[in-house]
Amino acid sequence: MVYYNPKIFNYSTISMKKKIDTIISFGYSFSDVIKMMKIEQSIFGYSVSYLKNRFNYIIELGYDYEETLKIMKVCPNLFTYSIDNIKTKIDDLERLGYTREQIIIMSLKLPALYCYSVSDNLIPKINYLYLLGFSKEEVIKITVDFPAIYSYSYEKMNNAIKILKQFGYDDFEIKKIIFQLPPVFGYSSDNIKRKLELFSDINLVDTVKKKPKILMQSCALTYARYSCLKDMEIAVDSDNYAILFEVRSRFEKRSGIKNEDLLKLYNYEEYYNNKHNMQLMVRRKK
């Protein structure tokens, strides 16, 4: 903290303690305050009254007390922003089509939203989604549901789309997948590949088009459940695939096996490694 802000040596111990005690009085722990000050060291340079006014101003924007604690903890930079700066950011977001309520929802999911440049980050990401074929209303819904999109690099998002195309999905199908499951942009390339490869192996890759949210379940659990049902002589197909994704208690009752035991009995990593080792051997023989 001192390395990034040597001016800290200019503050008296008494002054620094007052700032820390003030922030703790809002409802933070001492460790919370230390983490916040590591993110935004200049907090020490503001008066106690200023810090209180800034905290209260966030509440006035429409956040409740607990929400204010959360957003200021993750984004303590808000303590240093001028009221005009915050107002401008909100006005910019409203001009982009978001309501005040939606802005609050987004910022609670992604407190760093207030730290992003509208012209350099938000508008280009919105235009990126437009290029994928989404309407303004769809873009607003996607980003309100999953504002983390604003934090992703174009490389990460393009990789997700590239992998989906590798598995045969066309632009319309990819658009549907993204709309119903925006977090797909946040999945690692390996994560997406493994899931789609597994769905391809069990003949459910087309089901992703209809129900993209099945991608949320881990490969380990999907494989274990599929293998268990196969041993029970229950064939899983596009008509009854939902049994693979039913709640834990229901599947445990159906199979008679506890979840943790199921994962050990049908080990996905072992299946994956064996499969790829076989593929490697075949390629070498060629």
Side-chain angles (χ1 to χ4, degrees), residues 93 98 102-114 116 121-122 125-126 129 139-152 157 182-183 185:
L93 287 166
Y98 298 106
Q102 288 172 330
I103 293 170
I104 289 175
I105 291 171
M106 291 167 65
S107 61
L108 288 172
K109 294 177 180 177
L110 183 71
L113 179 70
Y114 285 118
Y116 294 149
N121 186 311
L122 304 189
K125 292 286 172 60
I126 287 173
L129 292 173
V139 169
I140 288 176
K141 185 181 185 309
I142 289 170
T143 51
V144 170
D145 289 345
F146 194 68
I149 282 177
Y150 285 129
S151 70
Y152 295 148
M157 295 192 292
F185 276 135

Side-chain angles (χ1 to χ4, degrees), residues 87-244:
K87 282 182 177 178
T88 298
K89 185 61 64 72
I90 291 174
D91 289 343
D92 287 340
L93 287 166
E94 289 179 336
R95 277 193 288 273
L96 290 174
Y98 298 106
T99 65
R100 178 66 63 89
E101 182 181 3
Q102 288 172 330
I103 293 170
I104 289 175
I105 291 171
M106 291 167 65
S107 61
L108 288 172
K109 294 177 180 177
L110 183 71
L113 179 70
Y114 285 118
C115 304
Y116 294 149
S117 165
V118 172
S119 59
D120 296 337
N121 186 311
L122 304 189
I123 291 177
K125 292 286 172 60
I126 287 173
N127 288 336
Y128 176 89
L129 292 173
Y130 284 156
L131 288 174
L132 293 179
F134 294 105
S135 65
K136 180 177 181 179
E137 291 73 22
E138 289 172 332
V139 169
I140 288 176
K141 185 181 185 309
I142 289 170
T143 51
V144 170
D145 289 345
F146 194 68
I149 282 177
Y150 285 129
S151 70
Y152 295 148
S153 67
Y154 293 109
E155 180 182 9
K156 188 176 186 66
M157 295 192 292
N158 285 334
N159 280 341
I161 292 173
K162 181 180 178 181
I163 293 169
L164 288 169
K165 286 186 175 181
Q166 288 174 352
F167 280 84
Y169 300 108
D170 60 30
D171 290 342
F172 177 80
E173 291 164 344
I174 290 172
K175 178 184 171 185
K176 181 178 179 180
I177 290 171
I178 293 171
F179 185 71
Q180 293 190 25
L181 186 66
V184 71
F185 276 135
Y187 295 166
S188 69
S189 296
D190 184 61
N191 188 323
I192 301 175
K193 284 180 181 178
R194 283 187 175 222
K195 287 179 177 178
L196 292 177
E197 188 176 291
L198 178 58
F199 284 132
S200 180
D201 289 348
I202 62 178
N203 298 314
L204 289 180
V205 73
D206 285 339
T207 304
V208 175
K209 302 174 187 178
K210 298 185 293 183
K211 295 291 182 181
K213 289 187 178 181
I214 64 176
L215 286 170
M216 296 172 66
Q217 184 161 286
S218 71
C219 288
L221 186 57
T222 300
Y223 171 75
R225 288 184 170 186
Y226 179 84
S227 300
C228 176
L229 291 170
K230 185 177 179 181
D231 283 351
M232 294 170 64
E233 299 185 351
I234 299 176
V236 178
D237 54 34
S238 58
D239 293 323
N240 68 347
Y241 71 91
I243 61 177
L244 282 176

Side-chain angles (χ1 to χ4, degrees), residues 1-57:
M1 187 158 62
V2 173
Y3 177 82
Y4 292 107
N5 187 23
K7 289 183 180 180
I8 197 172
F9 287 116
N10 297 326
Y11 308 135
S12 70
T13 303
I14 295 175
S15 174
M16 292 169 62
K17 186 177 185 302
K18 283 183 179 179
K19 311 295 172 54
I20 292 174
D21 288 343
T22 297
I23 298 176
I24 287 176
S25 72
F26 296 148
Y28 297 108
S29 67
F30 180 76
S31 61
D32 287 337
V33 177
I34 297 303
K35 290 176 183 176
M36 292 162 71
M37 289 183 168
K38 284 182 179 179
I39 296 173
E40 184 52 71
Q41 300 86 10
S42 63
I43 289 177
F44 282 124
Y46 294 92
S47 67
V48 167
S49 61
Y50 178 94
L51 295 175
K52 289 181 178 179
N53 288 338
R54 188 59 71 253
F55 187 86
N56 290 330
Y57 176 68

